[in-house]
Amino acid sequence: MLKSKRAEMLTAFVLIAPFVLVYAVLFVYPTAKMVQLSFTNAPLIGDGDFVGFDNYIRVFKDRLFSTAVWDTVYFVLLTVIPSTLLGLLIALGVNRLKGFTQSLVLAAFFLPYILPVSVVYRIWSWMFDKQFGIAQYVISAFTGGTHVAVFRTIPLFMPSVAFITVWWLVGFNVLLFIAGLRNISTEIYEAASLDGASRFAQFRRITWPLIWPVTVLVMTIQLILQLKIFDQVYLFANGGRTDATIVLVQYIYKWAFQKNQGGMGATVSLLLFAIIIIFSVLQYQLLRSRGEK
Amino acid sequence: MIKSILKKALVTTALLTVATFSAQAKDTIVWWDFLGGGDGVRMKAMIDEFNKEHADTVEIQATTLDWGTPFYTKVQTSAAIGEGPDMMTYHLSRLPLGVSSGALSEITPEELAAAGIKGTDYAATNWKAAQVGGKQYAVPLDIHSIVLYYNKDLLKAAGLLGDDGKPKGLDGAANWDAALAKLTANGVQGLSTATADGATLWRIFYSLLNQQDGQFMTADNKFLDGANLDKAVKATTEMASWVKNGWLAPQTEYPASIALFTSGKAAFHINGVWEVPTMVDLAKNKKLGFEWGAVQLPTFYDHPATWADSHSFAIPNNKGKEVPAAKRKLVLDTIAWFDKHSLEWAGGGHLPAFSPVREGADFKALKPNSDYSTLAATAAFDPVSVLAGVASPVYDAAGNFLIPAVSGDLAPKDAMDQMRDDLQGQVQ
């Protein structure tokens, strides 16, 4: 009996060994190395000398770090909830359509999602171009003829990039919500309408609670994704007043690749890692417990 | 994008396959560059020519990689594990960082002499910019700078065109301002330049600073120290006045700034020589609608000076893989060959670094390059520092402080104070 259990253990170990090995080499080791790097003054390539908590002190003293944290949080606020709600709204609409029309409308909303970020950047930067952009006709109507350099005006930067991000990524949320909506049995709705429940009451009492797990999932995915924001902010601010709109990953990039200081890059990466874990676990727990009530 | 990557992958694979099966007797040189633009086409033609000429002896296997930070990161990582190429292109302004990270291999005077490369064949400032701490790390291929593009038709109407077809009476800040004022009329603005692009503004600013003998960074790592700050404020104030007076549109993106000039909506345009092919091609296809030219930037202050950078050739310091002397000799011979054949490279707007070519009759006949080739003598290269050069913290600072100063959102004095403090804080 004991022997066979040991044999079983051995088999189990052999079977999971490849995964454990790959996981250790590709995840555990680099993570440990990054923690170690954050206590050194290493350049991008190669080792450095141990400097204790110097990097951390330097990061917390750096004015740009607080800008980066605030800009990242601001961007998350501007994107996560709007893109989740908009996704649900569109999904509810699309779900009421049938057959070919439904596929067509769904495709229309999903189309931006398949574009690479560089293409998204090109499209919107030309549309909003101060001299030649087509969107300037709309802007002129509000400003009385003055053209506005949208991505070069600091207060407008984050909201407009957030708007473009929502436009770009909402298709994926719609897809998840539609899958969720289709899982809700039609019988529940039939029973509700027999009881004389209004459309709004049906949404409030049936759809909203039953779609809640999907909502939590979408919000968590969005939160992690947007905390790691880099591409759009980097592209739209490129060459301009980048410090005013810097986000955390951009700040890491600046230290590690531009200034060739791997130790500082690792330090900020570790801090971002901690922020993401705290935020996402908090949000997930908070939302899940609320949904269970 | 995907198509071009696929194409690159296919070409690379094909090259590798050819390399594997070709005769062993032939030497190969693995070459990396970042020339993906219009000038890259010219470089590929030159490489083909080289390979044809050396069909029995040497073959260059070239790969074009992404320009800027990605290129320099790749060079650094590959050199660290001994997997770098045999030779590569390099911006002279980015040399200090390459040397400090140990990615570049020193080229000794003996090696240079053996390949027949002489410092006296290059403009003195250019040759010096290829050194760090007195040691040679690169051989310049070209000098590229900013120039003043002009619309001959508009200038003629304003009486600012000389009999030689070049602008007249622009030297001195007051004269330049008067010319811009005169040219700004009927929906045309005097000047267009990429006012939303820190790099472009940096190049203009650095030219104006050097025209007053201002030093952006002193040898003991002090940014805008003492009187240099006043000179910087003076240069910035001048640039801001162009916007303030309505001669130059603020917050203009790079492509839009070119379009303003090529559509005849701006009389002058300040931009890099690398846009010369754009103008040449438009004019050739009769899409420009006016006569154009390009000259050296006017002298605003004490003497001529123009910001410049250089494409050069460098050898990576492949760790753990000592390159045999014979191979290094071959690489340096190849570099010498490209410099001697750099007339073709000049078609991309650049000025050949190799003086015998730049001063030769063939180049003198090449328009408009020869109209602005005088700038090489007074070229002002970026400060020698790991913080300066292409895509560096200095370029970032230009974006953060010059843009708002020029557009009038920040007073020039405040902008320069903040720029100095920001950069000084990054000195280690």
Side-chain angles (χ1 to χ4, degrees):
Chain A
M1 190 63 194
L2 208 73
K3 210 173 183 183
S4 79
K5 204 167 194 180
R6 191 175 287 166
E8 253 175 41
M9 288 266 282
L10 194 73
T11 319
F13 185 74
V14 168
L15 285 175
I16 62 162
F19 171 76
V20 171
L21 202 73
V22 169
Y23 188 77
V25 170
L26 294 183
F27 187 80
V28 179
Y29 174 72
T31 310
K33 187 81 189 163
M34 187 178 77
V35 176
Q36 185 233 322
L37 266 181
S38 74
F39 293 102
T40 68
N41 61 359
L44 182 58
I45 308 294
D47 293 317
D49 299 322
F50 182 77
V51 293
F53 281 94
D54 279 9
N55 289 343
Y56 290 87
I57 295 167
R58 213 163 142 205
V59 166
F60 285 117
K61 271 191 184 160
D62 190 4
R63 186 183 46 85
L64 207 53
F65 176 68
S66 38
T67 313
V69 171
W70 164 242
D71 281 342
T72 309
V73 171
Y74 184 38
F75 188 80
V76 164
L77 288 175
L78 286 171
T79 50
V80 174
I81 295 176
S83 78
T84 309
L85 288 183
L86 194 67
L88 178 59
L89 217 67
I90 294 171
L92 287 170
V94 170
N95 208 33
R96 293 179 65 179
L97 298 170
K98 293 216 160 43
F100 181 69
T101 336
Q102 190 188 38
S103 317
L104 197 75
V105 173
L106 186 59
F109 281 113
F110 195 67
L111 204 64
Y113 186 74
I114 60 172
L115 295 177
V117 67
S118 47
V119 175
V120 172
Y121 159 66
R122 274 273 168 250
I123 293 173
W124 286 94
S125 65
W126 265 118
M127 276 174 58
F128 275 120
D129 187 84
K130 194 186 158 215
Q131 266 77 25
F132 303 101
I134 197 164
Q136 293 295 347
Y137 290 103
V138 184
I139 293 171
S140 299
F142 290 98
T143 58
T146 328
H147 286 192
V148 179
V150 176
F151 304 113
R152 303 299 183 189
T153 311
I154 303 301
L156 294 178
F157 183 87
M158 278 298 169
S160 35
V161 175
F163 168 78
I164 291 163
T165 306
V166 171
W167 170 85
W168 180 37
L169 299 178
V170 77
F172 184 67
N173 298 352
V174 172
L175 222 58
L176 288 177
F177 275 121
I178 285 190
L181 288 174
R182 286 190 182 156
N183 264 342
I184 303 174
S185 165
T186 47
E187 289 164 15
I188 307 176
Y189 288 108
E190 278 165 19
S193 38
L194 281 178
D195 287 341
S198 69
R199 286 207 78 96
F200 179 72
Q202 283 186 23
F203 173 78
R204 232 189 81 102
R205 303 280 177 197
I206 302 170
T207 315
W208 184 246
L210 288 178
I211 204 78
W212 185 249
V214 180
T215 314
V216 174
L217 176 77
V218 168
M219 277 183 82
T220 310
I221 292 175
Q222 283 290 327
L223 181 79
I224 296 173
L225 191 70
Q226 307 309 354
L227 277 172
K228 294 191 296 181
I229 174 75
F230 174 77
D231 321 15
Q232 302 96 295
V233 173
Y234 173 80
L235 285 169
F236 280 106
N238 203 1
R241 299 171 67 178
T242 44
D243 280 0
T245 57
I246 197 166
V247 287
L248 275 167
V249 181
Q250 210 180 344
Y251 185 66
I252 297 170
Y253 173 84
K254 195 171 171 136
W255 276 114
F257 294 96
Q258 207 181 10
K259 296 198 194 176
N260 197 39
Q261 297 191 25
M264 287 294 284
T267 307
V268 187
S269 303
L270 210 63
L271 291 172
L272 176 62
F273 183 56
I275 293 175
I276 291 179
I277 289 186
I278 294 167
F279 265 82
S280 49
V281 169
L282 256 182
Q283 189 203 23
Y284 196 76
Q285 292 301 333
L286 213 76
L287 294 179
R288 210 184 51 176
S289 62
R290 233 199 77 198
E292 275 169 359
K293 259 184 218 164
Chain B
M1 188 66 201
I2 289 173
K3 217 172 173 183
S4 78
I5 288 173
L6 263 179
K7 218 180 195 173
K8 259 185 221 167
L10 281 176
V11 170
T12 319
T13 320
L15 278 175
L16 286 175
T17 322
V18 169
T20 320
F21 290 105
S22 62
Q24 294 297 313
K26 204 159 139 182
D27 281 309
T28 55
I29 292 177
V30 178
W31 158 309
W32 287 0
D33 66 43
F34 45 70
L35 306 162
D39 43 10
V41 180
R42 286 178 176 85
M43 187 52 88
K44 279 187 187 73
M46 286 171 77
I47 292 171
D48 287 345
E49 197 188 323
F50 178 91
N51 283 341
K52 209 179 272 169
E53 201 173 291
H54 300 81
D56 302 323
T57 49
V58 198
E59 183 178 310
I60 294 176
Q61 295 167 4
T63 310
T64 301
L65 301 155
D66 253 359
W67 184 94
T69 310
F71 180 83
Y72 290 119
T73 308
K74 189 175 167 75
V75 165
Q76 206 188 327
T77 47
S78 54
I81 53 163
E83 293 293 328
D86 296 322
M87 64 181 286
M88 63 204 171
T89 53
Y90 222 90
H91 287 102
L92 284 191
S93 64
R94 214 50 180 148
L95 219 53
L97 186 67
V99 173
S100 83
S101 63
L104 294 175
S105 164
E106 190 201 336
I107 306 170
T108 64
E110 295 76 39
E111 285 180 314
L112 288 170
I117 300 172
K118 292 192 293 262
T120 48
D121 280 339
Y122 299 83
T125 46
N126 193 203
W127 187 250
K128 201 167 162 263
Q131 300 171 347
V132 176
K135 290 176 178 166
Q136 199 77 27
Y137 284 96
V139 178
L141 166 68
D142 68 32
I143 297 171
H144 52 267
S145 181
I146 48 168
V147 289
L148 181 69
Y149 295 89
Y150 60 99
N151 182 323
K152 283 188 185 172
D153 300 0
L154 289 173
L155 259 65
K156 198 177 213 170
L160 290 163
L161 199 69
D163 294 331
D164 56 354
K166 290 183 187 174
K168 63 173 183 190
L170 296 183
D171 285 339
N175 290 330
W176 162 262
D177 291 354
L180 286 191
K182 206 168 183 183
L183 287 163
T184 307
N186 309 323
V188 172
Q189 58 182 57
L191 172 68
S192 88
T193 196
T195 38
D197 178 43
T200 303
L201 293 183
W202 163 254
R203 292 167 189 139
I204 302 173
F205 165 81
Y206 196 65
S207 306
L208 264 54
L209 184 67
N210 275 277
Q211 291 188 358
Q212 315 168 62
D213 286 312
Q215 254 186 311
F216 190 73
M217 187 184 186
T218 55
D220 55 348
N221 291 336
K222 287 236 169 66
F223 283 95
L224 295 175
D225 196 28
N228 292 322
L229 183 71
D230 303 329
K231 290 171 182 172
V233 173
K234 193 169 163 191
T236 316
T237 311
E238 171 67 18
M239 289 164 74
S241 78
W242 307 339
V243 169
K244 206 163 136 193
N245 290 310
W247 307 326
L248 169 68
Q251 309 287 24
T252 307
E253 299 291 336
Y254 187 93
S257 78
I258 299 172
L260 280 172
F261 177 72
T262 54
S263 63
K265 284 183 180 155
F268 286 123
H269 176 59
I270 300 179
N271 204 339
V273 294
W274 49 87
E275 293 300 343
V276 163
T278 312
M279 311 294 172
V280 170
D281 291 348
L282 281 174
K284 201 164 70 191
N285 299 329
K286 306 222 178 315
K287 280 184 184 155
L288 206 51
F290 59 86
E291 292 281 312
W292 73 287
V295 287
Q296 183 177 350
L297 223 58
T299 309
F300 290 79
Y301 304 113
D302 311 338
H303 57 79
T306 321
W307 164 90
D309 198 348
S310 228
H311 292 127
S312 68
F313 293 113
I315 303 174
N317 181 24
N318 280 325
K319 296 220 173 76
K321 253 190 204 172
E322 206 52 46
V323 183
K327 184 65 164 270
R328 285 180 70 95
K329 167 92 174 65
L330 186 67
V331 166
L332 284 160
D333 286 346
T334 307
I335 292 173
W337 187 94
F338 275 87
D339 272 7
K340 279 173 192 141
H341 290 74
S342 55
L343 185 67
E344 185 157 1
W345 184 239
H350 308 294
L351 299 173
F354 191 58
S355 300
V357 172
R358 194 177 65 251
E359 284 156 8
D362 288 340
F363 180 75
K364 290 221 161 82
L366 189 70
K367 294 285 173 185
N369 303 45
S370 54
D371 287 340
Y372 54 74
S373 62
T374 44
L375 68 84
T378 52
F381 290 90
D382 278 332
V384 181
S385 162
V386 294
L387 292 174
V390 180
S392 67
V394 164
Y395 271 58
D396 272 9
N400 287 318
F401 305 108
L402 278 180
I403 291 177
V406 170
S407 67
D409 295 330
L410 195 60
K413 175 78 170 72
D414 295 343
M416 289 303 105
D417 279 342
Q418 291 175 24
M419 187 167 177
R420 178 199 56 200
D421 295 345
D422 178 65
L423 287 168
Q424 202 62 56
Q426 298 186 38
V427 174
Q428 286 201 306

